[in-house]
Amino acid sequence: MAIAWSKKSASMEALSLSPPMSPPVILSQDDLKKIAAYKAVEFVESGMVLGLGTGSTARHAVDRIGELLRQGKLTDIVGIPTSKQTQEQALSLGIPLSDLDSHPTIDLAIDGADEVDPHLNLVKGRGGSLLREKMVEGACKKFVCIVDESKLVKHLGGSGLALPVEIVPFCWKFIANKLQNLFERSGCVAKLRNDREGKPFVTDNGNYIVDLYLKKELGDLQIASDAILRIAGVVEHGMFLDMATTVIVAGELGITVKNK
């Protein structure tokens, strides 16, 4: 009996000495965005002209650039903001700013996306800054897109969320109907975007946004892009085709870097 008790005691002692199991770390979507943003900033070098994106993910990148400037780890940076919101953020962080008129070629742009397909085509503009984002990111030598894994889709529009189109306010219903009819085979529904007060959302450029909701694929994206831009009154759309050179995806299992 004594031996049996002794074995049991030894077993219990061994269990008590085992290190406790650490609870799994659950990362929020914002944590993943921050991880991707910080990874993207590793591409930044002193002396660069940078395109500064807009949105919840890009905000982390701009914060990090400001932090590295304060620490002296980056110097002689010039930022080109893609929205008034980013402009205000960058100025508050002491990031020197300029524009495309003064710097028509940009070394690197960092921005988020609303959707990323397997070919690194993007949907952007659900934050309302698609026109300035496309102007800036179309002028850069390298465009690093940062997302969390929830933004990956099989095809653009695949999330069921908005594909934004910036339009002039004049006769917006006429333009919205044209857009909806253009993609009727894709089950398109076109809706004017409203702000929190129920009034039409107005971009930094004084325009409206019509959001397209699709039930099926658009087909050839370049043909779809050209068709949208041929409609009088359309300013720009939120498909960023063949523009991203690198996409950084943050997920529960780590970071994935995808290059063209």
Side-chain angles (χ1 to χ4, degrees):
M1 294 290 294
I3 294 174
W5 180 86
S6 176
K7 287 182 178 179
K8 183 177 180 182
S9 297
S11 177
M12 291 178 67
E13 183 178 2
L15 286 172
S16 67
L17 292 175
S18 299
M21 294 291 290
S22 300
V25 177
I26 300 175
L27 297 175
S28 68
Q29 188 178 32
D30 192 61
D31 291 332
L32 296 175
K33 291 178 179 180
K34 189 172 184 178
I35 290 169
Y38 276 45
K39 180 66 177 178
V41 175
E42 293 178 9
F43 288 87
V44 178
E45 299 176 3
S46 294
M48 279 186 166
V49 178
L50 299 176
L52 305 177
T54 298
S56 58
T57 309
R59 184 176 185 84
H60 288 303
V62 176
D63 281 341
R64 180 62 172 163
I65 292 166
E67 180 183 11
L68 294 175
L69 280 171
R70 288 195 304 273
Q71 294 173 351
K73 296 179 180 179
L74 286 176
T75 57
D76 300 320
I77 293 295
V78 176
I80 313 294
T82 54
S83 66
K84 292 179 180 179
Q85 180 185 34
T86 299
Q87 179 179 348
E88 293 172 1
Q89 179 195 4
L91 289 173
S92 72
L93 296 169
I95 300 175
L97 299 180
S98 188
D99 55 34
L100 287 173
D101 290 335
S102 301
H103 296 87
T105 301
I106 297 172
D107 296 305
L108 170 69
I110 300 176
D111 204 354
D114 302 306
E115 292 183 359
V116 181
D117 77 5
H119 305 289
L120 306 191
N121 295 312
L122 316 174
V123 168
K124 292 175 52 58
R126 290 178 191 157
S129 302
L130 63 99
L131 175 58
R132 297 190 186 190
E133 288 173 337
K134 190 169 281 191
M135 290 177 68
V136 170
E137 287 146 20
C140 64
K141 298 175 183 177
K142 186 176 183 66
F143 172 24
V144 178
C145 178
I146 46 180
V147 296
D148 66 86
E149 59 189 355
S150 71
K151 303 301 173 62
L152 302 180
V153 295
K154 293 181 179 179
H155 58 86
L156 295 193
S159 68
L161 301 176
L163 170 58
V165 180
E166 186 162 344
I167 67 170
V168 297
F170 176 71
C171 294
W172 69 262
K173 290 181 181 179
F174 171 81
I175 304 169
N177 286 333
K178 286 275 192 180
L179 289 166
Q180 182 165 302
N181 292 336
L182 182 63
F183 299 116
E184 185 177 6
R185 290 184 178 180
S186 298
C188 177
V189 176
K191 296 182 180 180
L192 182 71
R193 184 180 300 185
N194 291 325
D195 60 20
R196 294 179 180 178
E197 298 178 355
K199 299 177 181 178
F201 175 88
V202 179
T203 70
D204 287 346
N205 316 298
N207 296 318
Y208 288 176
I209 288 182
V210 170
D211 289 321
L212 307 182
Y213 296 89
L214 306 165
K215 295 181 180 179
K216 299 178 183 178
E217 292 188 48
L218 285 173
D220 188 305
L221 296 179
Q222 193 59 58
I223 292 175
S225 168
D226 293 344
I228 292 173
L229 295 175
R230 281 198 299 268
I231 296 176
V234 166
V235 179
E236 189 52 85
H237 60 70
M239 289 189 291
F240 284 51
L241 306 180
D242 199 31
M243 291 181 64
T245 54
T246 299
V247 174
I248 297 175
V249 184
E252 293 291 344
L253 300 179
I255 288 180
T256 302
V257 179
K258 302 182 179 184
N259 294 303
K260 276 289 188 185

